[in-house]
Amino acid sequence: MQLANIDPLLALGVFTSTAATDTVYVLFNASIMARRRWSAASWSGLWYMLSAFAVITYTQDWVYVAFAAIGSWTGAFATVTWLAWRERGAATVT
């Protein structure tokens, strides 16, 4: 494995696309839990489009899977944090 051959722009693209993918995945699951059918279906369609882009991007070189994993974790963590923050804000308003 040669880290010197990593294209920084491609790595950033993989990171960003997987962060977006997991953001959409978390929102999809939140919609399922809230029983919002239209929202869940819309997030599901977007989730698959983003997933396809991420897979196509990093299958040319396996080292980009690490950037995908980090982006995925970041996207899910940030989204769940935002959802928890939003719930706390809604509880104080009502």
Side-chain angles (χ1 to χ4, degrees):
M1 179 172 98
Q2 295 180 342
L3 295 179
N5 292 334
I6 293 175
D7 178 354
L9 289 177
L10 183 57
L12 180 63
V14 171
F15 173 86
T16 302
S17 69
T18 53
T21 300
D22 267 45
T23 296
V24 170
Y25 175 74
V26 170
L27 292 171
F28 164 70
N29 280 306
S31 295
I32 293 290
M33 295 300 292
R35 309 275 196 273
R36 295 183 309 217
R37 296 176 295 172
W38 288 96
S39 179
S42 298
W43 287 124
S44 179
L46 185 57
W47 174 32
Y48 275 96
M49 287 191 323
L50 289 168
S51 296
F53 173 77
V55 169
I56 291 167
T57 300
Y58 65 71
T59 53
Q60 299 300 315
D61 189 347
W62 66 270
V63 74
Y64 292 104
V65 172
F67 293 98
I70 295 166
S72 176
W73 186 91
T74 302
F77 183 85
T79 305
V80 172
T81 300
W82 176 74
L83 288 171
W85 174 80
R86 188 178 72 171
E87 285 180 14
R88 282 193 303 270
T92 59
V93 172
T94 57

